[in-house]
Structure formats: structure tokens, C-alpha cells
Amino acid sequence: MKLSQLGEFGFIERIRRSVSPGEGVNLGIGDDCAATTLPPEQLLLTTTDLLIEEIHFRRQWTDFRLLGRKSVAVNVSDIAAMGGTPRHLYLALGIPPELSVEGLDAFVAGFLEAATEYGAALAGGDTCRSAGPIVISVTAEGAVPEGELVRRSGARPGDAVYVSGTLGDSALALQLLAAGKTPDPLLARRHHDPTARIGLGRALAAAGIPSAMIDLSDGLVADLGHILSASGAGAQLHEGALPLSGPFRQALAEDPGGIKLALTGGEDYELLFTVPPEKAAALSPLADSLSIPLTCIGTVTPSDDGLVVKDRDGRPYRPGWGGYNHFARPE
Ligand code: ADP
Ligand code: MG
């Protein structure tokens, strides 16, 4: 079926019927505004992300259900990075008229599936026709207890730099797809169906462990750069300490230069955080209880030192800030 047969309001009604009532949603889809409430003494966190066809995804590589899941994950990942819990989601869509209703249904099903997994309710949105690409804008609202908010700005010299999970898998998958190859299933999943580290971010914040935290969307070097500039600090990273998956290591054995993907590749959606020395002992029981690998990859230094990476032979170099910049000119 074509969307033109269903119409804007038919489509919205279809979404409304698939949404189950959410905690804290007094009024959801169907009126001019949503009306929601937060638990007492919690701060409201709000974040928005755009996903634009040809910029963030290619229709030919995309399964619509996974695109729906990813639209939620990349958004709530920012809430994880502040130590919060996602509560409400808003979904604005620009849809080219030739898109099939079946594709849209799969997108909405994936979106709602992921929303349920993260404990967030779809409370509203907007639906328009696009004369060009598919445009997906998701706004997430979350809650964090007052006093537990974690910002980018608290890193101090002597703090350890930690990262969750593994690095570079998504960027490697993208590189393989662009070269017309089929990535290993683990790499493909990390690219098409990333997991936001909500439980970890919340647990770290509740235990008061991180002095600063960010989620990795632009790449390790760029996102660490955001923490360092907000904190007025430098850092030293160790290439040899970067946590890498099995398939990533295999690719690295063939091309040692591939380590650059772990340093600068985007879309890992892992958490990067700094830990003051007196909080270090609390970290490993927390990692064990969540079964998420947490790896120390370096140390925060005074700002004059900037960011220095030591290669596998211990030779220091400056990586530049790297990372994805939408308005940078091609080199
Ligand atoms: P208005 O013209 O007042 O902005 P709309 O007709 O755009 O209202 O939307 C009607 C209702 O449907 C609102 O509650 C809105 O939040 C919801 N809605 C519209 N599009 C979507 C969507 N893509 N996902 C979820 N809710 C949506
Ligand atoms: Mg509207």
C-alpha cells in the first residue's frame, strides 16, 4: 500500500493504536500537545537527533525495522551519557510519498520495540511529506535525580579514562559496506542495531563514580576532545589498551593501520568516562554486576599537555581531533 492511500491522519492513527500507555504520560498522541509528568525531585533531560537519508543511512543497506530501533538507540544514548533514564520520545518524520506503508510499519514497529526495551513511551510527533530524502527527527526526554547529573566538564588530571564495550566495530562495518563487502554479523549488528548503555550510565551516576561522561557518537578522539575542552584538561591514551572485538582484531591483523577506526570511527554508542582515583575501587564490582566490559584506556593530564596517544611501541603522537564534522570540506 502507498502512504497516499492511508493519508497523514490514517498513518498517525496507525501509530497511535500500536503505542501502549506509558508511565508518566498523562496525555499521549492525539491532542495538540502531550502532557507528561516526571518522578519527584528529578531533573528533565531533553535531547534531539536527526537522521537524514544519504547522510546517516542508505536505503539500500537499511532494514526499516532496524532503522526504527537505531533511531531510538542513538537518541537515548545521550540520556545514558548524563546518567539518566529515558521517559518520553517524540518522533517527527519527513516521508517521501513513494515509500511503502509496509516499510513505515516496520520502522514504527522497530521504533516501538526499542522504546519498550529502554522503558520509554512514544508520546507524540509530527508527520510531513518530504520532497527529497527520508528525514527522521527523534526527541527524547529523560529523568535524572537531582545531584546525580553527570556532565562533560568534571575531568581532572590524575583521573583514569574508561570506555565501555569495544571500539571501532560500527566504523569497520560501514567501511566494508562502502567497499561492497558483507561485514561479519557482529560488526553489522553494531552498525545497524547499536545498544545505548542506559543501565551502565544510570548505575555509574547513582554510584557517583564518573567525574565526566559522554557517549561515543563522533569517535573516541573527537568525543574525548569534547570532555577535555569542557574540563580544561589534556589526556594520554594507550593504543594497546583499546578494547577491540574479535572480528575487529582479525581485520587489524591484515591491516594494522585499521586501529585508526577504533580511535576516530563514529557510532560506537559506548560510554566514555573519567574516574577519580578514590572512586576506582567501586568500579569493578559495578562492571561485574552489569556484565559490561569496562576498560581503562588512559589518564587525564594537565591541559597544556593536550591529547597524546601512545602507539603499541610506546611512541607518543598527537592524533588531531578527527571525528565527523558535518560542515567540514572534503580534504
Ligand atoms: P498539530 O497539527 O496540532 O501539530 P498533528 O496533526 O501534527 O497535530 O498531530 C496529531 C497528533 O499526532 C499529535 O498528538 C502528535 O503528537 C501526533 N503525531 C503526529 N505525527 C506523529 C508521529 N510520527 N509519531 C507520533 N505521534 C505523532
Ligand atoms: Mg503538527
Side-chain angles (χ1 to χ4, degrees):
M1 193 189 348
K2 285 262 156 30
L3 191 57
S4 51
Q5 290 164 266
L6 194 59
E8 176 189 340
F9 300 107
F11 176 62
I12 295 172
E13 179 55 20
R14 224 166 153 95
I15 297 180
R16 194 189 64 75
R17 272 191 268 119
S18 323
V19 171
S20 32
E23 203 188 318
V25 182
N26 304 46
L27 193 58
I29 297 170
D31 215 310
D32 291 310
C33 291
T36 59
T37 42
L38 286 189
E41 285 161 37
Q42 306 231 344
L43 296 175
L44 172 64
L45 301 171
T46 309
T47 175
T48 297
D49 276 300
L50 267 176
L51 286 163
I52 300 180
E53 184 179 3
E54 293 303 318
I55 307 289
H56 298 93
F57 64 92
R58 300 261 179 94
R59 230 183 276 192
Q60 83 215 58
W61 299 339
T62 298
D63 169 312
F64 276 99
R65 186 183 134 256
L66 295 184
L67 184 62
R69 290 180 60 82
K70 185 167 178 174
S71 309
V72 175
V74 304
N75 215 254
V76 300
S77 176
D78 285 313
I79 290 178
M82 306 296 284
T85 310
R87 307 272 306 177
H88 319 123
L89 297 169
Y90 300 87
L91 170 63
L93 293 172
I95 310 172
E98 77 277 5
L99 211 66
S100 76
V101 173
E102 289 74 20
L104 282 167
D105 280 347
F107 173 86
V108 170
F111 186 99
L112 295 176
E113 190 182 288
T116 304
E117 285 170 21
Y118 293 116
L122 179 60
D126 200 19
T127 306
C128 298
R129 186 159 74 112
S130 167
I134 304 173
V135 179
I136 303 162
S137 166
V138 182
T139 298
E141 291 178 338
V144 65
E146 286 173 25
E148 291 183 10
L149 184 74
V150 186
R151 300 182 53 180
R152 296 177 175 183
S153 52
R156 297 292 172 261
D159 291 359
V161 179
Y162 274 85
V163 71
S164 63
T166 56
L167 296 168
D169 298 323
S170 175
L172 177 57
L174 187 61
Q175 191 182 69
L176 292 168
L177 286 167
K181 298 180 184 154
T182 306
D184 170 279
L186 178 138
L187 300 176
R189 185 170 50 77
R190 297 268 296 160
H191 181 69
H192 292 300
D193 192 16
T195 304
R197 298 291 196 184
I198 299 294
L200 175 63
R202 186 80 278 285
L204 288 168
I209 292 174
S211 48
M213 186 150 66
I214 193 168
D215 68 315
L216 292 181
S217 53
D218 295 340
L220 173 64
V221 166
D223 288 321
L224 178 57
H226 296 319
I227 285 189
L228 298 181
S229 55
S231 300
Q236 193 172 92
L237 290 183
H238 298 276
E239 259 187 18
L242 301 182
L244 306 174
S245 69
F248 192 96
R249 281 176 193 283
Q250 256 174 21
L252 202 57
E254 283 160 34
D255 171 21
I259 193 70
K260 196 160 178 274
L261 288 178
L263 282 163
T264 61
E267 298 204 296
D268 287 317
Y269 299 106
E270 295 295 347
L271 291 178
L272 177 73
F273 55 100
T274 55
V275 180
E278 68 275 15
K279 299 288 172 64
L283 199 57
S284 67
L286 188 146
D288 290 347
S289 70
L290 294 168
S291 311
I292 296 174
L294 302 179
T295 309
C296 179
I297 58 172
T299 319
V300 180
T301 58
S303 64
D304 296 346
D305 299 351
L307 176 60
V308 173
V309 181
K310 288 201 164 170
D311 72 12
R312 274 146 203 275
D313 303 317
R315 283 186 303 245
Y317 67 94
R318 293 189 184 278
W321 293 119
Y324 191 71
N325 176 338
H326 278 273
F327 298 103
R329 291 186 196 170
E331 284 162 21

